[in-house]
Amino acid sequence: MDEERVKKLVRELIIEIGEDPTREGLKDTPGRIAQMYQEIFAGYESDSQLSVQFSEDSDTVIARDIQFYSMCEHHMLPFLGKIHIAYSPNGRVFGISKLVRLVEKYSKRLQIQERLTKNIADELFAQGVKGVIVIADAEHLCMRMRGVRNDATLTSFASRGIYENKEEKENIMAMIRKHTPNSSI
Ligand SMILES: [Zn+2]
């Protein structure tokens, strides 16, 4: 990201909004936004390092309540919530921090929730696990602040491998639901 260019563009935007970019409260805003964008869009540069795994025989592993923040690509407003990941290892397991990094890799971008869910499932499944389920629960500020102004949450799913089987999927979903009482799943 060209920081100087972003600053210039944000300054233009502030003028178009009808504000004075030179006033005290706004004069450093373009710089702050340029810095912030490097952080919240860091997913494009990220390497989730899922290849680092530990040898371990294990049944299904579930990582619940991984918090995420993303930016909706239609309005460039945040959507945020929790992601639950279940996978069936194939003799090797991932450290939980690697799963968090995987979520960040795809959430710190311009995104839509459905694609975010799929991106995570696809990358994990590509590591050779037997099956993956990814569930995302999120609220969207573009829906709260504008348009229909509703605080409904959206839940999206992606399943791969053995969990594409209906029965297998329902078993795992029930397990996640049982331990995640506030989830809408
Ligand atoms: Zn939106």
Side-chain angles (χ1 to χ4, degrees), residues 72 74-75 142:
C72 111
H74 301 136
H75 305 95
C142 61

Side-chain angles (χ1 to χ4, degrees), residues 72-77 140 142-143 146:
C72 111
E73 68 184 19
H74 301 136
H75 305 95
M76 289 179 72
L77 282 173
H140 294 244
C142 61
M143 196 163 74
R146 50 162 295 288

Side-chain angles (χ1 to χ4, degrees), residues 1-14 29-31 33-35 37-38:
M1 217 180 269
D2 178 341
E3 199 175 323
E4 283 311 309
R5 182 150 189 259
V6 175
K7 277 160 79 170
K8 233 190 282 173
L9 292 167
V10 173
R11 197 174 174 279
E12 291 297 314
L13 192 56
I14 289 172
T29 297
I33 291 185
Q35 291 274 319
Y37 273 11
Q38 307 222 9

Side-chain angles (χ1 to χ4, degrees), residues 90-151:
N90 207 353
R92 289 180 306 168
V93 294
F94 306 98
I96 182 133
S97 64
K98 299 293 179 293
L99 297 177
V100 172
R101 291 240 189 290
L102 174 64
V103 168
E104 289 190 340
K105 174 177 176 181
Y106 290 108
S107 58
K108 293 187 168 205
R109 300 174 179 216
L110 291 177
Q111 263 291 13
I112 63 169
Q113 185 180 334
E114 294 83 349
R115 190 171 63 232
L116 169 63
T117 315
K118 279 188 217 157
N119 287 157
I120 295 167
D122 285 337
E123 183 153 342
L124 202 51
F125 192 56
Q127 298 299 314
V129 299
K130 289 183 254 174
V132 180
I133 292 184
V134 178
I135 303 168
D137 278 319
E139 54 181 297
H140 294 244
L141 291 198
C142 61
M143 196 163 74
R144 285 199 168 190
M145 294 172 66
R146 50 162 295 288
V148 292
R149 295 205 185 157
N150 196 290
D151 59 2

